[in-house]
Amino acid sequence: QVQLVESGGGLVQAGGSLRLSCAASGDIFSINTMGWYRRAPGKQRELVAAIGSTGGTKYADSVKGRFTISRDNAKSTVYLQMNSLKFEDTAVYYCNLRVVPMDFWGQGTQVTVSS
């Protein structure tokens, strides 16, 4: 079993910053991809950012230059530093751990950006 525990969401004004954290525990394989997805009201869940075991990253176009994903393999933790937040970043953010072909998900953390 794998568990993902997220933290760091909250309410912030536009232009502000937040840092999300996600700690993984359980039967974690060393080769995996960790990432963040989000679901805004009335929209489908979308990939925000992902990072592979060796540090390769991928970002949604909408967050490039504003968000940074990083990971601490020793702590099995992935971070999402979100800067210059916009109203449209408001969503529930979900941590994801992918060990092909399996996906594991956190419970979600709300990020609300006030305009």
Side-chain angles (χ1 to χ4, degrees):
Q1 283 289 63
V2 173
Q3 288 188 322
L4 302 174
V5 179
E6 301 144 336
S7 60
L11 173 64
V12 65
Q13 288 188 330
S17 298
L18 283 175
R19 189 192 194 206
L20 305 183
S21 299
C22 173
S25 61
D27 298 330
I28 304 168
F29 295 93
S30 59
I31 300 176
N32 59 66
T33 297
M34 297 188 77
W36 293 92
Y37 287 71
R38 68 186 180 188
R39 176 175 285 154
K43 296 186 177 181
Q44 291 187 333
R45 184 170 60 192
E46 64 173 353
L47 172 69
V48 177
I51 184 167
S53 299
T54 56
T57 59
K58 179 179 180 180
Y59 294 93
D61 288 342
S62 59
V63 307
K64 284 181 181 177
R66 300 188 297 121
F67 291 10
T68 302
I69 190 169
S70 60
R71 63 188 289 167
D72 184 335
N73 289 333
K75 296 180 179 179
S76 297
T77 300
V78 64
Y79 306 95
L80 185 68
Q81 178 66 44
M82 305 185 293
N83 298 328
S84 302
L85 282 160
K86 303 176 180 180
F87 175 75
E88 50 264 40
D89 294 318
T90 296
V92 178
Y93 285 69
Y94 297 90
C95 178
N96 170 264
L97 171 69
R98 175 165 295 173
V99 183
V100 179
M102 297 177 290
D103 274 302
F104 302 95
W105 296 94
Q107 78 282 2
T109 185
Q110 176 70 46
V111 171
T112 302
V113 183
S114 61
S115 57

